[in-house]
Protein backbone atom coordinates (compact mmCIF):
# COMPACT_ATOMS: atom_id res chain seq x y z
CA UNK A 1 0.00 0.00 0.00
CA UNK A 2 2.73 2.45 0.93
CA UNK A 3 4.21 3.89 -2.19
CA UNK A 4 7.13 6.26 -2.00
CA UNK A 5 7.63 7.46 -5.53
CA UNK A 6 11.31 8.03 -5.92
CA UNK A 7 11.20 10.66 -8.61
CA UNK A 8 9.15 13.12 -6.59
CA UNK A 9 9.34 11.74 -3.01
CA UNK A 10 5.62 11.57 -2.36
CA UNK A 11 4.28 9.02 0.09
CA UNK A 12 0.69 8.14 -0.77
CA UNK A 13 -2.02 6.56 1.31
CA UNK A 14 -4.63 4.70 -0.70
CA UNK A 15 -7.53 5.84 1.54
CA UNK A 16 -10.06 3.81 -0.40
CA UNK A 17 -9.67 1.84 -3.63
CA UNK A 18 -10.48 5.08 -5.44
CA UNK A 19 -9.13 7.87 -3.20
CA UNK A 20 -5.55 8.82 -2.46
CA UNK A 21 -3.79 11.30 -0.19
CA UNK A 22 -0.13 12.10 -0.79
CA UNK A 23 2.49 14.04 1.14
CA UNK A 24 5.89 14.98 -0.18
CA UNK A 25 8.74 13.98 2.13
CA UNK A 26 12.04 15.58 2.95
CA UNK A 27 13.35 12.12 3.77
CA UNK A 28 12.57 8.63 4.95
CA UNK A 29 13.63 8.26 8.60
CA UNK A 30 12.85 4.59 9.10
CA UNK A 31 11.54 1.75 7.03
CA UNK A 32 11.07 -1.77 8.34
CA UNK A 33 8.77 -4.70 8.83
CA UNK A 34 7.73 -5.98 12.25
CA UNK A 35 6.10 -9.33 12.97
CA UNK A 36 2.74 -7.64 12.36
CA UNK A 37 3.10 -4.84 9.84
CA UNK A 38 5.17 -2.53 7.65
CA UNK A 39 6.47 0.48 9.56
CA UNK A 40 7.44 3.69 7.79
CA UNK A 41 8.56 6.98 9.33
CA UNK A 42 8.92 9.97 7.03
CA UNK A 43 9.53 13.67 7.44
CA UNK A 44 6.87 15.53 5.43
CA UNK A 45 6.73 19.20 4.44
CA UNK A 46 3.10 19.76 5.43
CA UNK A 47 2.68 17.67 8.59
CA UNK A 48 6.18 17.13 9.96
CA UNK A 49 7.18 13.61 10.98
CA UNK A 50 4.61 10.95 10.09
CA UNK A 51 4.17 7.31 11.06
CA UNK A 52 2.60 4.92 8.57
CA UNK A 53 1.61 1.33 9.35
CA UNK A 54 0.91 -0.87 6.34
CA UNK A 55 0.82 2.29 4.24
CA UNK A 56 -1.79 4.12 6.32
CA UNK A 57 -1.07 7.39 8.11
CA UNK A 58 -1.33 6.74 11.86
CA UNK A 59 -0.02 9.92 13.34
CA UNK A 60 1.77 13.10 12.28
CA UNK A 61 3.47 15.74 14.39
CA UNK A 62 1.20 18.49 13.15
CA UNK A 63 -2.23 16.94 13.61
CA UNK A 64 -1.72 14.28 16.30
CA UNK A 65 -3.05 16.63 19.00
CA UNK A 66 -6.45 16.69 17.28
CA UNK A 67 -6.71 12.92 17.49
CA UNK A 68 -5.10 12.23 20.86
CA UNK A 69 -6.66 15.11 22.80
CA UNK A 70 -10.16 14.34 21.59
CA UNK A 71 -9.83 10.60 22.13
CA UNK A 72 -8.38 10.91 25.63
CA UNK A 73 -9.64 14.10 27.28
CA UNK A 74 -13.31 13.74 26.47
CA UNK A 75 -13.75 10.53 28.53
CA UNK A 76 -11.09 11.57 31.06
CA UNK A 77 -12.66 14.95 31.88
CA UNK A 78 -16.15 13.40 31.81
CA UNK A 79 -15.00 11.11 34.64
CA UNK A 80 -15.03 12.90 38.02
CA UNK A 81 -12.02 11.09 39.52
CA UNK A 82 -10.20 8.61 37.28
CA UNK A 83 -7.41 6.59 38.90
CA UNK A 84 -6.79 3.57 36.70
CA UNK A 85 -6.78 3.85 32.94
CA UNK A 86 -6.42 1.17 30.29
CA UNK A 87 -5.26 2.01 26.77
CA UNK A 88 -5.63 -0.72 24.16
CA UNK A 89 -3.33 -0.04 21.21
CA UNK A 90 -1.85 3.45 21.15
CA UNK A 91 1.70 2.31 20.40
CA UNK A 92 2.71 5.79 19.20
CA UNK A 93 2.42 6.99 22.81
CA UNK A 94 0.26 10.07 22.16
CA UNK A 95 -2.77 8.81 24.08
CA UNK A 96 -0.52 7.69 26.94
CA UNK A 97 1.14 11.12 27.13
CA UNK A 98 -2.30 12.82 27.31
CA UNK A 99 -3.77 10.36 29.84
CA UNK A 100 -0.80 10.77 32.20
CA UNK A 101 -1.55 14.50 32.49
CA UNK A 102 -4.50 13.48 34.69
CA UNK A 103 -2.12 11.96 37.28
CA UNK A 104 -3.52 8.49 36.89
CA UNK A 105 -1.94 5.08 36.49
CA UNK A 106 -2.09 3.75 32.92
CA UNK A 107 -1.80 0.20 31.61
CA UNK A 108 -1.02 0.31 27.89
CA UNK A 109 -1.51 -2.91 25.96
CA UNK A 110 0.10 -2.82 22.52
CA UNK A 111 0.63 -5.84 20.32
CA UNK A 112 3.64 -4.57 18.36
CA UNK A 113 6.77 -3.86 20.41
CA UNK A 114 8.57 -2.43 17.39
CA UNK A 115 5.96 0.34 17.05
CA UNK A 116 6.72 1.32 20.64
CA UNK A 117 10.48 1.33 20.02
CA UNK A 118 10.08 3.47 16.89
CA UNK A 119 7.74 5.82 18.75
CA UNK A 120 10.20 6.28 21.60
CA UNK A 121 12.73 7.43 19.03
CA UNK A 122 10.57 9.51 16.67
CA UNK A 123 7.24 10.20 18.36
CA UNK A 124 5.60 10.61 21.76
CA UNK A 125 6.11 7.41 23.69
CA UNK A 126 7.37 8.47 27.17
CA UNK A 127 10.53 6.80 28.48
CA UNK A 128 9.16 6.60 31.98
CA UNK A 129 6.18 7.57 34.10
CA UNK A 130 3.28 6.12 36.02
CA UNK A 131 2.43 3.42 33.48
CA UNK A 132 2.95 -0.23 32.65
CA UNK A 133 3.58 -1.29 29.09
CA UNK A 134 2.16 -4.72 28.29
CA UNK A 135 3.14 -6.20 24.94
CA UNK A 136 0.17 -8.39 24.17
CA UNK A 137 -2.94 -8.70 22.00
CA UNK A 138 -5.62 -6.45 23.54
CA UNK A 139 -8.33 -9.06 23.24
CA UNK A 140 -6.23 -11.68 25.04
CA UNK A 141 -5.35 -9.15 27.74
CA UNK A 142 -9.01 -8.39 28.42
CA UNK A 143 -9.78 -12.10 28.71
CA UNK A 144 -6.89 -12.74 31.06
CA UNK A 145 -7.27 -10.06 33.74
CA UNK A 146 -9.45 -9.44 36.78
CA UNK A 147 -8.38 -5.82 37.29
CA UNK A 148 -10.92 -3.02 36.81
CA UNK A 149 -10.47 0.40 35.21
CA UNK A 150 -12.18 3.78 35.52
CA UNK A 151 -11.50 4.68 31.90
CA UNK A 152 -10.80 2.37 28.94
CA UNK A 153 -9.44 3.97 25.75
CA UNK A 154 -9.46 1.87 22.59
CA UNK A 155 -6.84 3.45 20.35
CA UNK A 156 -6.72 0.68 17.78
CA UNK A 157 -6.10 0.51 14.08
CA UNK A 158 -9.12 0.68 11.85
CA UNK A 159 -11.23 -2.41 12.51
CA UNK A 160 -11.07 -3.67 8.96
CA UNK A 161 -9.83 -7.23 8.57
CA UNK A 162 -8.30 -8.72 11.73
CA UNK A 163 -9.35 -5.77 13.92
CA UNK A 164 -13.01 -6.41 13.07
CA UNK A 165 -13.18 -7.86 16.56
CA UNK A 166 -13.54 -4.28 17.84
CA UNK A 167 -17.17 -4.09 16.95
CA UNK A 168 -18.10 -7.60 17.91
CA UNK A 169 -20.26 -8.34 20.97
CA UNK A 170 -17.57 -10.38 22.64
CA UNK A 171 -15.13 -7.47 22.66
CA UNK A 172 -17.65 -5.03 24.12
CA UNK A 173 -18.61 -7.61 26.78
CA UNK A 174 -14.96 -7.92 27.76
CA UNK A 175 -14.61 -4.13 27.96
CA UNK A 176 -17.66 -4.04 30.20
CA UNK A 177 -16.15 -6.74 32.40
CA UNK A 178 -12.97 -4.73 33.08
CA UNK A 179 -14.76 -1.40 33.51
CA UNK A 180 -15.70 -0.10 36.97
CA UNK A 181 -19.45 0.34 37.40
CA UNK A 182 -18.90 4.10 37.33
CA UNK A 183 -16.47 3.85 34.43
CA UNK A 184 -16.41 5.11 30.85
CA UNK A 185 -15.04 3.65 27.64
CA UNK A 186 -14.11 5.41 24.39
CA UNK A 187 -13.34 3.94 20.97
CA UNK A 188 -12.04 5.66 17.87
CA UNK A 189 -14.67 4.74 15.32
CA UNK A 190 -13.40 5.96 11.96
CA UNK A 191 -15.05 8.30 9.51
CA UNK A 192 -18.83 8.15 9.08
CA UNK A 193 -18.45 9.54 5.55
CA UNK A 194 -16.61 6.63 3.98
CA UNK A 195 -18.32 4.18 1.65
CA UNK A 196 -19.97 1.26 3.42
CA UNK A 197 -17.10 -1.22 3.10
CA UNK A 198 -14.74 1.23 4.83
CA UNK A 199 -17.23 2.59 7.37
CA UNK A 200 -17.51 0.98 10.79
CA UNK A 201 -18.87 3.92 12.78
CA UNK A 202 -22.50 2.80 12.64
CA UNK A 203 -21.59 -0.81 13.46
CA UNK A 204 -19.64 0.12 16.58
CA UNK A 205 -22.46 2.43 17.68
CA UNK A 206 -25.03 -0.35 17.29
CA UNK A 207 -22.98 -2.84 19.29
CA UNK A 208 -22.28 -0.39 22.12
CA UNK A 209 -25.99 0.47 22.39
CA UNK A 210 -26.69 -3.14 23.36
CA UNK A 211 -24.46 -2.97 26.42
CA UNK A 212 -24.39 0.64 27.68
CA UNK A 213 -27.09 3.06 28.83
CA UNK A 214 -25.32 6.20 27.58
CA UNK A 215 -23.69 5.92 24.15
CA UNK A 216 -22.58 9.19 22.60
CA UNK A 217 -20.69 9.69 19.35
CA UNK A 218 -18.63 12.79 18.71
CA UNK A 219 -16.68 14.18 15.77
CA UNK A 220 -13.65 16.34 15.23
CA UNK A 221 -11.01 17.09 12.61
CA UNK A 222 -8.03 14.85 11.88
CA UNK A 223 -6.70 16.20 8.57
CA UNK A 224 -4.49 13.24 7.65
CA UNK A 225 -7.20 10.62 8.24
CA UNK A 226 -9.59 9.75 5.39
CA UNK A 227 -12.24 12.51 4.89
CA UNK A 228 -10.72 14.47 7.81
CA UNK A 229 -13.97 13.91 9.76
CA UNK A 230 -13.07 11.52 12.53
CA UNK A 231 -15.45 9.89 14.99
CA UNK A 232 -15.23 8.64 18.53
CA UNK A 233 -17.88 6.92 20.61
CA UNK A 234 -17.94 7.21 24.39
CA UNK A 235 -20.12 4.85 26.42
CA UNK A 236 -21.02 4.45 30.07
CA UNK A 237 -23.85 3.35 32.33
CA UNK A 238 -23.48 6.24 34.75
CA UNK A 239 -21.40 9.03 33.22
CA UNK A 240 -22.78 11.36 30.56
CA UNK A 241 -19.85 11.71 28.15
CA UNK A 242 -21.08 15.11 26.94
CA UNK A 243 -20.61 16.78 30.30
CA UNK A 244 -17.15 17.59 31.65
CA UNK A 245 -16.96 16.76 35.37
CA UNK A 246 -13.61 18.54 35.66
CA UNK A 247 -11.84 21.20 33.60
CA UNK A 248 -8.16 21.47 32.63
CA UNK A 249 -5.70 23.88 34.21
CA UNK A 250 -2.60 25.23 32.45
CA UNK A 251 -0.49 22.23 33.48
CA UNK A 252 -2.31 20.17 30.86
CA UNK A 253 -0.76 22.27 28.10
CA UNK A 254 -3.52 21.52 25.60
CA UNK A 255 -3.40 22.45 21.94
CA UNK A 256 -6.94 21.56 20.96
CA UNK A 257 -9.21 20.52 23.86
CA UNK A 258 -11.20 23.13 25.76
CA UNK A 259 -14.26 22.73 27.99
CA UNK A 260 -16.41 24.48 25.37
CA UNK A 261 -15.08 22.21 22.64
CA UNK A 262 -15.88 19.14 24.78
CA UNK A 263 -19.53 20.18 24.95
CA UNK A 264 -19.62 21.12 21.26
CA UNK A 265 -18.26 18.05 19.52
CA UNK A 266 -21.38 16.06 20.41
CA UNK A 267 -23.54 18.18 18.09
CA UNK A 268 -24.18 15.83 15.18
CA UNK A 269 -24.88 16.79 11.58
CA UNK A 270 -28.53 16.31 10.75
CA UNK A 271 -28.13 13.26 8.47
CA UNK A 272 -26.19 11.31 11.10
CA UNK A 273 -28.65 12.26 13.85
CA UNK A 274 -31.45 10.87 11.65
CA UNK A 275 -29.57 7.69 10.77
CA UNK A 276 -28.79 6.92 14.42
CA UNK A 277 -32.43 7.43 15.40
CA UNK A 278 -33.60 5.10 12.63
CA UNK A 279 -31.31 2.38 13.91
CA UNK A 280 -32.82 2.39 17.38
CA UNK B 1 -2.69 22.03 -11.98
CA UNK B 2 -5.48 19.62 -12.93
CA UNK B 3 -3.99 16.32 -13.86
CA UNK B 4 -6.16 13.50 -15.09
CA UNK B 5 -3.86 10.54 -15.38
CA UNK B 6 -5.17 8.52 -18.27
CA UNK B 7 -3.87 5.14 -17.20
CA UNK B 8 -5.74 5.06 -13.92
CA UNK B 9 -8.29 7.90 -14.27
CA UNK B 10 -7.38 9.79 -11.13
CA UNK B 11 -7.95 13.51 -10.97
CA UNK B 12 -5.54 15.11 -8.51
CA UNK B 13 -5.65 18.43 -6.75
CA UNK B 14 -2.27 19.79 -5.80
CA UNK B 15 -3.48 21.20 -2.43
CA UNK B 16 -0.10 22.70 -1.63
CA UNK B 17 3.20 22.40 -3.47
CA UNK B 18 3.81 19.28 -1.36
CA UNK B 19 0.34 17.80 -0.71
CA UNK B 20 -2.00 16.08 -3.13
CA UNK B 21 -5.54 14.70 -3.02
CA UNK B 22 -6.73 12.38 -5.77
CA UNK B 23 -10.08 10.89 -6.70
CA UNK B 24 -10.62 8.21 -9.27
CA UNK B 25 -13.25 9.07 -11.86
CA UNK B 26 -15.83 7.02 -13.71
CA UNK B 27 -15.69 9.60 -16.48
CA UNK B 28 -15.03 13.18 -17.45
CA UNK B 29 -18.36 14.95 -18.02
CA UNK B 30 -17.08 18.31 -19.18
CA UNK B 31 -13.77 19.92 -19.84
CA UNK B 32 -13.35 23.47 -21.09
CA UNK B 33 -11.77 26.86 -20.59
CA UNK B 34 -13.77 30.00 -19.88
CA UNK B 35 -12.46 33.56 -20.13
CA UNK B 36 -11.31 33.20 -16.51
CA UNK B 37 -10.41 29.62 -15.74
CA UNK B 38 -10.25 25.93 -16.61
CA UNK B 39 -13.49 24.13 -15.85
CA UNK B 40 -13.59 20.38 -15.28
CA UNK B 41 -16.58 18.25 -14.29
CA UNK B 42 -15.92 14.61 -13.38
CA UNK B 43 -17.91 11.76 -11.92
CA UNK B 44 -15.92 10.31 -9.00
CA UNK B 45 -16.44 7.04 -7.12
CA UNK B 46 -16.11 8.51 -3.64
CA UNK B 47 -17.81 11.91 -3.90
CA UNK B 48 -20.09 11.69 -6.95
CA UNK B 49 -19.98 14.54 -9.44
CA UNK B 50 -17.24 17.09 -8.80
CA UNK B 51 -16.51 20.57 -10.17
CA UNK B 52 -12.89 21.70 -10.45
CA UNK B 53 -11.80 25.22 -11.37
CA UNK B 54 -8.15 25.60 -12.34
CA UNK B 55 -7.56 22.13 -10.92
CA UNK B 56 -9.04 22.81 -7.47
CA UNK B 57 -12.07 20.95 -6.15
CA UNK B 58 -14.88 23.50 -5.72
CA UNK B 59 -17.83 21.32 -4.96
CA UNK B 60 -18.83 17.67 -4.98
CA UNK B 61 -22.26 16.09 -4.74
CA UNK B 62 -21.41 14.21 -1.56
CA UNK B 63 -19.91 16.95 0.58
CA UNK B 64 -21.34 20.18 -0.83
CA UNK B 65 -24.02 20.29 1.88
CA UNK B 66 -21.30 20.65 4.54
CA UNK B 67 -19.93 23.74 2.83
CA UNK B 68 -23.11 25.41 1.60
CA UNK B 69 -25.25 24.80 4.69
CA UNK B 70 -22.61 26.11 7.08
CA UNK B 71 -21.77 29.12 4.92
CA UNK B 72 -25.39 30.14 4.37
CA UNK B 73 -27.51 29.03 7.32
CA UNK B 74 -25.31 30.29 10.12
CA UNK B 75 -25.66 33.98 9.12
CA UNK B 76 -29.19 33.49 7.78
CA UNK B 77 -30.56 31.91 10.98
CA UNK B 78 -28.61 34.40 13.10
CA UNK B 79 -30.56 37.18 11.36
CA UNK B 80 -34.07 37.58 12.79
CA UNK B 81 -35.79 38.60 9.53
CA UNK B 82 -33.63 38.64 6.39
CA UNK B 83 -35.29 39.97 3.23
CA UNK B 84 -32.51 40.90 0.84
CA UNK B 85 -29.45 38.73 0.43
CA UNK B 86 -26.32 39.26 -1.66
CA UNK B 87 -24.12 36.34 -2.70
CA UNK B 88 -20.74 37.23 -4.17
CA UNK B 89 -19.39 34.32 -6.18
CA UNK B 90 -21.23 31.04 -5.66
CA UNK B 91 -21.51 30.17 -9.33
CA UNK B 92 -22.22 26.51 -8.56
CA UNK B 93 -25.61 27.55 -7.17
CA UNK B 94 -25.42 25.70 -3.84
CA UNK B 95 -25.42 28.81 -1.69
CA UNK B 96 -28.25 30.30 -3.75
CA UNK B 97 -30.34 27.15 -3.32
CA UNK B 98 -29.84 27.24 0.47
CA UNK B 99 -30.47 30.99 0.81
CA UNK B 100 -33.75 30.77 -1.15
CA UNK B 101 -35.12 28.34 1.46
CA UNK B 102 -35.47 31.39 3.74
CA UNK B 103 -37.97 33.00 1.32
CA UNK B 104 -35.79 35.99 0.64
CA UNK B 105 -34.74 37.79 -2.52
CA UNK B 106 -31.18 37.02 -3.58
CA UNK B 107 -28.82 38.93 -5.86
CA UNK B 108 -26.02 36.63 -6.99
CA UNK B 109 -22.96 38.27 -8.52
CA UNK B 110 -20.72 35.80 -10.33
CA UNK B 111 -17.92 36.79 -12.67
CA UNK B 112 -17.89 33.65 -14.83
CA UNK B 113 -21.08 32.98 -16.80
CA UNK B 114 -19.76 29.64 -18.00
CA UNK B 115 -19.56 28.31 -14.43
CA UNK B 116 -23.25 29.15 -14.04
CA UNK B 117 -24.14 27.39 -17.30
CA UNK B 118 -22.19 24.28 -16.30
CA UNK B 119 -23.76 24.34 -12.84
CA UNK B 120 -27.27 24.53 -14.26
CA UNK B 121 -26.50 21.36 -16.17
CA UNK B 122 -24.50 19.35 -13.62
CA UNK B 123 -24.93 20.97 -10.21
CA UNK B 124 -27.33 23.03 -8.13
CA UNK B 125 -27.93 26.30 -9.94
CA UNK B 126 -31.72 26.81 -9.96
CA UNK B 127 -33.39 27.56 -13.29
CA UNK B 128 -35.73 30.06 -11.73
CA UNK B 129 -36.74 31.56 -8.41
CA UNK B 130 -36.73 34.78 -6.45
CA UNK B 131 -33.24 35.84 -7.47
CA UNK B 132 -31.32 38.00 -9.93
CA UNK B 133 -28.15 36.72 -11.53
CA UNK B 134 -25.64 39.47 -12.22
CA UNK B 135 -22.63 38.48 -14.30
CA UNK B 136 -19.99 40.90 -13.03
CA UNK B 137 -16.88 41.19 -10.90
CA UNK B 138 -18.01 41.29 -7.25
CA UNK B 139 -15.73 44.17 -6.36
CA UNK B 140 -17.07 46.29 -9.22
CA UNK B 141 -20.64 45.44 -8.27
CA UNK B 142 -20.11 46.60 -4.69
CA UNK B 143 -18.65 49.87 -5.93
CA UNK B 144 -21.49 50.49 -8.36
CA UNK B 145 -24.62 49.97 -6.24
CA UNK B 146 -26.57 51.91 -3.65
CA UNK B 147 -28.81 49.00 -2.61
CA UNK B 148 -28.51 47.57 0.92
CA UNK B 149 -28.64 43.94 2.07
CA UNK B 150 -29.54 42.17 5.31
CA UNK B 151 -27.10 39.35 4.68
CA UNK B 152 -23.99 39.32 2.47
CA UNK B 153 -22.44 35.92 1.69
CA UNK B 154 -18.96 35.90 0.17
CA UNK B 155 -18.68 32.52 -1.56
CA UNK B 156 -15.50 33.27 -3.44
CA UNK B 157 -12.55 31.26 -4.62
CA UNK B 158 -9.59 31.11 -2.30
CA UNK B 159 -8.15 34.60 -2.03
CA UNK B 160 -4.73 33.65 -3.32
CA UNK B 161 -3.49 35.69 -6.27
CA UNK B 162 -6.15 37.90 -7.91
CA UNK B 163 -8.75 37.19 -5.19
CA UNK B 164 -6.42 38.64 -2.54
CA UNK B 165 -8.73 41.62 -2.64
CA UNK B 166 -11.05 39.67 -0.32
CA UNK B 167 -8.98 40.45 2.73
CA UNK B 168 -8.12 44.01 1.84
CA UNK B 169 -9.59 46.96 3.73
CA UNK B 170 -11.25 48.37 0.66
CA UNK B 171 -13.29 45.24 0.10
CA UNK B 172 -14.49 45.09 3.69
CA UNK B 173 -15.40 48.80 3.57
CA UNK B 174 -17.48 48.17 0.46
CA UNK B 175 -19.24 45.24 2.16
CA UNK B 176 -20.01 47.49 5.10
CA UNK B 177 -21.40 50.12 2.75
CA UNK B 178 -23.95 47.72 1.21
CA UNK B 179 -24.90 46.08 4.51
CA UNK B 180 -27.95 47.23 6.48
CA UNK B 181 -27.06 48.55 9.93
CA UNK B 182 -28.65 45.42 11.42
CA UNK B 183 -27.03 43.19 8.82
CA UNK B 184 -24.52 40.35 8.90
CA UNK B 185 -21.78 39.26 6.51
CA UNK B 186 -20.08 35.88 6.19
CA UNK B 187 -16.92 34.94 4.28
CA UNK B 188 -15.46 31.53 3.61
CA UNK B 189 -11.96 31.91 4.99
CA UNK B 190 -10.08 28.74 4.07
CA UNK B 191 -8.28 26.32 6.32
CA UNK B 192 -6.43 27.66 9.37
CA UNK B 193 -4.13 24.62 9.26
CA UNK B 194 -2.39 25.31 5.98
CA UNK B 195 1.16 26.65 5.82
CA UNK B 196 1.40 30.42 5.94
CA UNK B 197 1.54 31.06 2.20
CA UNK B 198 -1.75 29.17 1.73
CA UNK B 199 -3.48 30.40 4.89
CA UNK B 200 -5.62 33.52 4.77
CA UNK B 201 -7.91 32.82 7.74
CA UNK B 202 -5.99 35.00 10.19
CA UNK B 203 -5.64 37.84 7.66
CA UNK B 204 -9.37 37.99 6.96
CA UNK B 205 -10.10 37.88 10.70
CA UNK B 206 -7.76 40.78 11.37
CA UNK B 207 -9.26 42.94 8.63
CA UNK B 208 -12.83 42.27 9.73
CA UNK B 209 -11.98 43.16 13.34
CA UNK B 210 -11.16 46.68 12.21
CA UNK B 211 -14.66 47.30 10.86
CA UNK B 212 -17.11 45.17 12.85
CA UNK B 213 -17.98 44.94 16.54
CA UNK B 214 -18.79 41.23 16.50
CA UNK B 215 -16.42 39.03 14.48
CA UNK B 216 -16.80 35.30 15.02
CA UNK B 217 -14.96 32.50 13.22
CA UNK B 218 -16.39 29.02 13.00
CA UNK B 219 -15.19 25.70 11.66
CA UNK B 220 -16.71 22.61 10.14
CA UNK B 221 -15.79 19.67 7.92
CA UNK B 222 -15.44 19.86 4.13
CA UNK B 223 -13.68 16.60 3.24
CA UNK B 224 -12.61 17.55 -0.29
CA UNK B 225 -11.07 20.89 0.72
CA UNK B 226 -7.43 21.00 1.89
CA UNK B 227 -7.07 19.64 5.48
CA UNK B 228 -10.85 19.07 5.64
CA UNK B 229 -11.06 21.74 8.36
CA UNK B 230 -12.81 24.67 6.77
CA UNK B 231 -13.36 28.10 8.28
CA UNK B 232 -15.95 30.80 7.94
CA UNK B 233 -16.04 34.21 9.59
CA UNK B 234 -19.32 35.97 10.33
CA UNK B 235 -19.29 39.65 11.24
CA UNK B 236 -21.86 42.20 12.33
CA UNK B 237 -22.27 45.31 14.47
CA UNK B 238 -25.56 44.22 16.00
CA UNK B 239 -26.13 40.48 15.46
CA UNK B 240 -24.25 37.85 17.47
CA UNK B 241 -23.48 35.21 14.82
CA UNK B 242 -23.29 32.44 17.45
CA UNK B 243 -26.94 32.74 18.42
CA UNK B 244 -29.70 31.50 16.11
CA UNK B 245 -32.58 34.00 16.05
CA UNK B 246 -34.77 31.50 14.18
CA UNK B 247 -34.73 27.73 13.78
CA UNK B 248 -35.41 25.60 10.69
CA UNK B 249 -38.60 23.64 10.09
CA UNK B 250 -38.82 20.52 7.92
CA UNK B 251 -39.34 22.54 4.74
CA UNK B 252 -35.65 23.46 4.82
CA UNK B 253 -34.71 19.82 4.20
CA UNK B 254 -31.27 20.16 5.78
CA UNK B 255 -28.57 17.50 5.62
CA UNK B 256 -26.08 19.03 8.01
CA UNK B 257 -27.27 22.20 9.80
CA UNK B 258 -29.10 21.94 13.12
CA UNK B 259 -29.67 24.56 15.81
CA UNK B 260 -27.31 22.69 18.15
CA UNK B 261 -24.64 22.51 15.46
CA UNK B 262 -24.97 26.26 14.85
CA UNK B 263 -24.13 26.96 18.49
CA UNK B 264 -21.35 24.36 18.52
CA UNK B 265 -19.22 25.28 15.52
CA UNK B 266 -18.03 28.46 17.24
CA UNK B 267 -16.06 26.46 19.84
CA UNK B 268 -12.48 26.99 18.74
CA UNK B 269 -9.54 24.65 19.31
CA UNK B 270 -7.27 25.99 22.02
CA UNK B 271 -4.34 26.99 19.76
CA UNK B 272 -6.56 29.10 17.50
CA UNK B 273 -8.30 30.73 20.47
CA UNK B 274 -4.86 31.73 21.79
CA UNK B 275 -3.59 32.97 18.44
CA UNK B 276 -6.66 35.16 17.90
CA UNK B 277 -6.33 36.66 21.38
CA UNK B 278 -2.66 37.46 20.77
CA UNK B 279 -3.56 39.32 17.58
CA UNK B 280 -5.92 41.69 19.36
Amino acid sequence: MSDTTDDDNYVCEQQTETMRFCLKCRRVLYRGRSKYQEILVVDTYDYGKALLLDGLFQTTEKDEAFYHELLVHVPMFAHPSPKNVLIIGGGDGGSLREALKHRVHVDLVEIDEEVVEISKKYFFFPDSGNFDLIIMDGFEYLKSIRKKYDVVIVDGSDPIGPAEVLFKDEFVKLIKKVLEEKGIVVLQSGSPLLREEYCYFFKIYKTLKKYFKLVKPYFYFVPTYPTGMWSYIAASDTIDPEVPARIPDESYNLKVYTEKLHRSVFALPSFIEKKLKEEQ
Side-chain angles (χ1 to χ4, degrees), chain A:
Chain A
M1 297 262 261
S2 156
D3 176 28
T4 314
T5 315
D6 287 331
D7 58 341
D8 59 359
N9 288 318
Y10 273 86
V11 63
C12 289
E13 172 176 335
Q14 195 70 39
Q15 296 184 320
T16 72
E17 261 177 54
T18 47
M19 180 160 80
R20 236 181 240 163
F21 177 66
C22 306
L23 291 176
K24 190 168 179 165
C25 306
R26 281 190 196 86
R27 59 203 181 109
V28 173
L29 298 168
Y30 176 86
R31 188 198 295 270
R33 213 196 134 73
S34 75
K35 200 171 141 192
Y36 301 98
Q37 53 208 338
E38 273 180 43
I39 302 173
L40 180 64
V41 180
V42 291
D43 184 17
T44 71
Y45 288 89
D46 292 272
Y47 286 93
K49 276 184 290 184
L51 171 69
L52 292 95
L53 297 178
D54 283 343
L56 306 178
F57 284 102
Q58 299 297 313
T59 200
T60 80
E61 274 184 306
K62 188 163 171 186
D63 75 352
E64 62 90 12
F66 282 86
Y67 176 73
H68 292 124
E69 291 193 15
L70 270 291
L71 178 70
V72 171
H73 295 305
V74 169
M76 290 297 284
F77 281 118
H79 195 293
S81 56
K83 282 173 192 66
N84 287 296
V85 175
L86 172 63
I87 298 175
I88 299 175
D92 64 40
S95 294
L96 175 59
R97 179 199 62 205
E98 293 306 316
L100 289 172
K101 292 178 179 174
H102 293 259
R103 293 166 198 179
V104 290
H105 181 271
V106 180
D107 287 332
L108 186 139
V109 182
E110 162 66 49
I111 199 168
D112 194 339
E113 193 161 17
E114 286 187 49
V115 171
V116 173
E117 290 312 311
I118 292 298
S119 298
K120 279 184 179 167
K121 187 162 177 193
Y122 296 107
F123 296 99
F124 334 106
F125 209 100
D127 283 322
S128 63
N130 190 15
F131 68 89
D132 287 307
L133 169 62
I134 300 138
I135 299 297
M136 193 170 174
D137 175 80
F139 197 78
E140 294 306 316
Y141 179 76
L142 291 172
K143 282 201 278 190
S144 70
I145 58 152
R146 282 164 182 270
K147 194 171 170 181
K148 298 238 176 194
Y149 296 94
D150 303 303
V151 181
V152 175
I153 294 165
V154 184
D155 184 8
S157 312
D158 301 349
I160 304 287
E164 260 187 40
V165 62
L166 294 188
F167 49 78
K168 292 275 165 34
D169 286 57
E170 201 184 343
F171 182 72
V172 177
K173 279 186 197 166
L174 284 170
I175 296 274
K176 189 132 195 185
K177 184 198 85 173
V178 307
L179 203 59
E180 295 282 1
E181 205 191 313
K182 295 187 176 179
I184 181 168
V185 57
V186 71
L187 299 93
Q188 74 92 354
S189 43
S191 173
L193 299 180
L194 290 167
R195 298 213 306 259
E196 208 183 339
E197 60 269 43
Y198 298 95
C199 181
Y200 45 90
F201 168 75
F202 297 99
K203 292 173 193 163
I204 293 181
Y205 178 79
K206 224 170 158 173
T207 310
L208 287 167
K209 284 291 279 184
K210 288 199 248 175
Y211 299 97
F212 289 98
K213 286 183 191 141
L214 293 154
V215 179
K216 301 240 176 133
Y218 58 100
F219 300 103
Y220 209 56
F221 308 98
V222 185
T224 59
Y225 286 177
T227 81
M229 180 179 189
W230 214 248
S231 78
Y232 311 84
I233 308 179
S236 174
D237 281 336
T238 56
I239 293 170
D240 184 351
E242 279 194 55
V243 184
R246 299 174 297 120
I247 55 167
D249 59 38
E250 295 230 325
S251 75
Y252 282 84
N253 190 25
L254 300 173
K255 288 182 192 156
V256 177
Y257 180 95
T258 70
E259 186 193 359
K260 187 176 176 185
L261 199 72
H262 182 141
R263 295 175 187 273
S264 297
V265 292
F266 290 90
L268 308 180
S270 179
F271 72 96
I272 289 180
E273 210 170 52
K274 273 180 205 149
K275 196 162 170 181
L276 294 181
K277 266 183 202 154
E278 281 164 18
E279 288 194 355
Q280 278 169 39

